[in-house]
Amino acid sequence: GLHEIGVDVVADRRGAGLGRIVVGMAIREILHRGGEPFYGCSPTNIVSQRTAWSAGFRPTMADTTIT
């Protein structure tokens, strides 16, 4: 099945590539277990989008909601 990946890096460690490393490790583990990884983030969260992109994810869809 699908397995969502998300990561938060504490402020004083940002910019060191830790998010990309953790996401990469999660991808490998999910694939090893026969799952399908996906990464979801807000369209306004550019930093998270860059982390996903650097780990190999590419945009495939956008969700919208009405509140």
Side-chain angles (χ1 to χ4, degrees):
L2 290 173
H3 298 270
E4 184 173 10
I5 298 172
V7 63
D8 289 317
V9 177
V10 295
D12 64 338
R13 299 287 188 221
R14 291 182 185 150
L18 298 175
R20 181 182 43 79
I21 291 167
V22 170
V23 171
M25 292 172 68
I27 291 168
R28 285 188 294 281
E29 184 61 26
I30 291 167
L31 293 172
H32 175 74
R33 294 176 182 223
E36 183 175 349
F38 76 96
Y39 191 104
C41 64
S42 168
T44 61
N45 191 339
I46 303 304
V47 173
S48 187
Q49 290 180 36
R50 287 180 181 158
T51 298
W53 187 273
S54 70
F57 288 98
R58 298 298 178 261
T60 58
M61 61 180 235
D63 288 337
T64 57
T65 58
I66 298 174
T67 56

